[in-house]
Amino acid sequence: MNATRTFAYVPVPTGSGIAALATLAVIALAPWFGGQFVLHLAVLTALNIVVVNGLALISRSGQLSLGHAAFMAVGAYVAVLATNSLGLSFVTSTLAATVVTAVVAFVLGWIILRLRGVYFVLVTFAFGELVRLVLLDFSEITGGANGITGIGAAEILGFAFDTRARFYGLALFTALASTLFMLVLFRRPIGQAIDAVADNPSLAESSGLSVHRLQLFSFVVGCALAAIGGALQARYIGYISPESFNTGISIGLIVMLVIGGRLSVWGPLVGAIVLTPLPELFRGAVQTQHIFYGAALILILRFLPGGLAELPRLWARITSREQS
């Protein structure tokens, strides 16, 4: 009994934590010393971390959204149109896009969060398709299938993020900020309450927790993070279209979350770092990419359900067991 308890609660050694932080620092700083292609992948990875963090927050409340890319689209289009039509600055337009997306998510979430399981997934999928069709139909405003081109670079206090190296700094800061937000959130009572709701909604409700309110909070904040990622992506790429935010993008985000680890704060970061570069490795072989994704999902769900983020903890348990 005592031995088993010791194995189950062995803490990760301090040296391992330092090594992990050093590894993350190297990964974060390395792109500045690489070429333009490496910087491009690093920017996309950082933006994916922000968006997948939002999806992780929704997932940890017990729901799964198949329309997460739609909220990226809302954020991207509102931010771009706010600048092009109203002349708002990058910061103001991004804040406006985040608020608008949060309001949309609040209204939608208030209606659909009573649904559970596959019903919620189907409704979010339908919402994603609805957003895509609206963007296609209102071509006078959104540019339709042609999208919006010539989007200006991000600028803060007169400093333009008009190169990949500069924009990577902005994207990296946003990714780290979103990860820090998740770390703080899930160390506070509200984060623990969100996890409790996901584990057993009925028990959480009987304990005095409002399942609907906690899931609504998670949904709104998660969608707001998606909006920030979408607005930044629009500034970086300089072009947006409805197909930039289709269901395939939502599925890719889910794959990142599951492979990285949906119940770990580090899961979105790990999943984005591992999977964002893969499309470039499989360029010209899309079917092979899908086969790899499918095989990776099966193996992760079967042998490492906690995702790749659980590897350090698993390794610590194995080594402690060997030492004993």
Side-chain angles (χ1 to χ4, degrees):
M1 291 290 291
N2 292 335
T4 304
R5 184 173 299 174
T6 302
F7 297 150
Y9 296 96
V10 170
V12 177
T14 304
S16 299
I18 294 174
L21 290 175
T23 302
L24 289 176
V26 170
I27 292 173
L29 297 176
W32 271 303
F33 302 95
Q36 290 298 307
F37 180 67
V38 175
L39 271 172
H40 173 65
L41 291 180
V43 170
L44 296 181
T45 300
L47 296 181
N48 280 337
I49 289 171
V50 178
V51 178
V52 179
N53 269 326
L55 186 61
L57 181 53
I58 297 171
S59 175
R60 288 186 68 160
S61 72
Q63 298 285 22
L64 183 63
S65 173
L66 197 55
H68 205 55
F71 295 99
M72 292 178 64
V74 175
Y77 273 89
V78 171
V80 170
L81 293 173
T83 297
N84 292 350
S85 302
L86 303 177
L88 299 182
S89 66
F90 163 70
V91 174
T92 307
S93 63
T94 302
L95 289 174
T98 305
V99 171
V100 170
T101 305
V103 171
V104 172
F106 179 85
V107 174
L108 179 67
W110 186 268
I111 298 171
I112 71 172
L113 277 170
R114 303 290 183 183
L115 301 175
R116 293 288 181 267
V118 67
Y119 302 104
F120 181 85
V121 174
L122 288 175
V123 172
T124 56
F125 168 76
F127 176 76
E129 287 299 296
L130 176 63
V131 169
R132 188 177 67 85
L133 292 174
V134 168
L135 294 176
L136 286 171
D137 290 342
F138 288 85
S139 56
E140 298 83 1
I141 301 174
T142 65
N146 295 324
I148 301 175
T149 60
I151 300 171
E155 185 175 321
I156 300 177
L157 298 177
F159 183 85
F161 297 89
D162 51 0
T163 66
R164 286 180 178 174
R166 289 181 176 183
F167 198 92
Y168 176 57
L170 176 62
L172 179 61
F173 172 81
T174 309
L176 293 177
S178 67
T179 302
L180 179 61
F181 167 76
M182 294 288 284
L183 278 169
V184 173
L185 177 67
F186 283 99
R187 288 183 178 179
R188 297 185 67 83
I190 187 172
Q192 298 168 6
I194 290 171
D195 283 335
V197 164
D199 290 339
N200 194 324
S202 300
L203 180 60
E205 193 78 49
S206 65
S207 301
L209 297 176
S210 175
V211 173
H212 187 258
R213 288 183 180 179
L214 287 168
Q215 288 186 332
L216 184 60
F217 168 82
S218 301
F219 189 69
V220 170
V221 176
C223 292
L225 287 174
I228 294 172
L232 287 174
Q233 179 179 308
R235 296 287 183 171
Y236 174 65
I237 303 295
Y239 166 76
I240 52 175
S241 74
E243 292 307 313
S244 302
F245 308 100
N246 57 33
T247 304
I249 302 299
S250 294
I251 294 175
L253 296 172
I254 292 173
V255 173
M256 288 184 192
L257 177 61
V258 173
I259 289 181
R262 71 179 190 87
L263 297 180
S264 170
V265 172
W266 302 108
L269 187 146
V270 174
I273 290 175
V274 171
L275 294 183
T276 300
L278 281 182
E280 299 300 329
L281 299 178
F282 290 107
R283 183 180 292 276
V286 178
Q287 295 302 323
T288 305
Q289 177 186 340
H290 292 164
I291 292 172
F292 177 85
Y293 278 2
L297 274 175
I298 292 172
L299 292 174
I300 290 291
L301 292 174
R302 174 61 181 85
F303 298 106
L304 199 64
L308 296 177
E310 292 296 313
L311 281 176
R313 184 179 300 177
L314 179 63
W315 177 254
R317 290 181 179 179
I318 293 174
T319 53
S320 64
R321 193 168 299 172
E322 291 176 350
Q323 291 173 0
S324 61

